[in-house]
Amino acid sequence: GESVGLHLPTLSVQEGDNSIINCAYSNSASDYFIWYKQESGKGPQFIIDIRSNMDKRQGQRVTVLLNKTVKHLSLQIAATQPGDSAVYFCAEGGGYSTLTFGKGTMLLVSP
Amino acid sequence: DTGVSQNPRHKITKRGQNVTFRCDPISEHNRLYWYRQTLGQGPEFLTYFQNEAQLEKSRLLSDRFSAERPKGSFSTLEIQRTEQGDSAMYLCASSEWGQARDEAFFGQGTRLTVV
């Protein structure tokens, strides 16, 4: 389940489960959204992106859903693996604006 | 390796000293960004370049901070008279703005510790 840690919301799942990480964005004018994965000591790594003219986009084992009405973004990871353990950030931007990051969610996958 | 490269990976400096970090973006990317990240937080935007032009600076970028991208390729970020509050991970990213996909690719970051 979800819990709030010292710094980050944390989602703990078992290996093989599906994970859903949620993000609320702030700027209704944003038209481009990205999910990043960040492992300890490393820079953010691009996972998947979506533009505002779409409400769903699928990648390999990942799906991003966008609900512009409530300014909500989610990342679904199918068959979660221990290697998926990391902090996940959503970022919003588009056009002439730069990316603005959310606070992140830590995903912990137990074998 | 054709990714974004940052040097050094780690820097420890005494308060009051100046430091300079370097970022080499992906070669065909025209945009270069600097972000700062503290523990438990998402990256915070500092500044970005379109080719050699610095187009935007965050209010987080105090007068002690300066960034350059003289030839539209690599960039440097200098912090003068460092303070303990400058301790953070400094991230560089690059993108090919204007294409159908303009996601930013990040480097591994430079971790600065001011003692």
Side-chain angles (χ1 to χ4, degrees):
Chain A
E2 281 189 312
S3 63
V4 178
L6 285 176
H7 299 289
L8 293 170
T10 301
L11 177 62
S12 298
V13 300
Q14 294 287 322
E15 182 178 2
D17 288 351
N18 296 332
S19 301
I20 300 176
I21 300 172
N22 297 302
C23 174
Y25 63 92
S26 56
N27 188 351
S28 56
S30 294
D31 62 1
Y32 182 56
F33 305 88
I34 308 178
W35 279 100
Y36 284 93
K37 173 187 180 182
Q38 188 173 26
E39 296 174 280
S40 180
K42 297 185 178 180
Q45 177 187 359
F46 172 87
I47 301 174
I48 192 168
D49 59 356
I50 189 168
R51 293 206 175 271
S52 60
N53 59 354
M54 303 172 69
D55 52 22
K56 181 179 180 179
R57 189 157 188 240
Q58 287 185 295
Q60 188 174 16
R61 282 202 307 119
V62 294
T63 301
V64 56
L65 299 177
L66 174 63
N67 185 331
K68 296 181 287 295
T69 303
V70 295
K71 293 190 286 187
H72 184 269
L73 196 66
S74 68
L75 176 70
Q76 299 178 359
I77 305 174
T80 315
Q81 302 168 359
D84 295 328
S85 294
V87 178
Y88 289 80
F89 293 98
C90 66
E92 59 179 303
Y96 292 97
S97 65
T98 55
L99 289 175
T100 301
F101 284 77
K103 291 194 180 299
T105 296
M106 180 175 289
L107 177 64
L108 296 175
V109 183
S110 304
Chain B
D1 187 351
T2 58
V4 177
S5 176
Q6 291 189 247
N7 288 288
R9 291 292 310 278
H10 304 275
K11 177 72 176 177
I12 299 174
T13 190
K14 292 184 178 179
R15 187 175 53 189
Q17 297 294 305
N18 300 342
V19 294
T20 300
F21 309 141
R22 175 177 171 126
C23 172
D24 288 88
I26 295 171
S27 60
E28 63 270 23
H29 284 183
N30 51 15
R31 276 200 176 178
L32 186 149
Y33 310 81
W34 284 100
Y35 283 80
R36 181 174 69 186
Q37 186 176 27
T38 53
L39 189 65
Q41 300 295 317
E44 297 174 294
F45 170 75
L46 292 178
T47 188
Y48 86 93
F49 294 83
Q50 176 95 5
N51 300 311
E52 66 274 10
Q54 189 173 17
L55 296 187
E56 187 175 344
K57 292 192 290 187
S58 163
R59 58 180 180 275
L60 293 175
L61 212 66
S62 76
D63 291 345
R64 296 184 296 106
F65 288 68
S66 62
E68 295 183 342
R69 194 184 183 197
K71 298 181 180 178
S73 57
F74 74 92
S75 175
T76 57
L77 177 69
E78 181 183 15
I79 308 174
Q80 296 181 325
R81 304 181 304 281
T82 52
E83 302 173 357
Q84 287 186 322
D86 297 332
S87 296
M89 174 79 85
Y90 289 85
L91 293 163
C92 175
S94 69
S95 69
E96 192 174 2
W97 186 78
Q99 303 302 311
R101 298 181 62 187
D102 57 359
E103 69 267 26
F105 293 89
F106 282 82
Q108 299 282 51
T110 294
R111 180 166 295 284
L112 173 66
T113 302
V114 182
V115 298

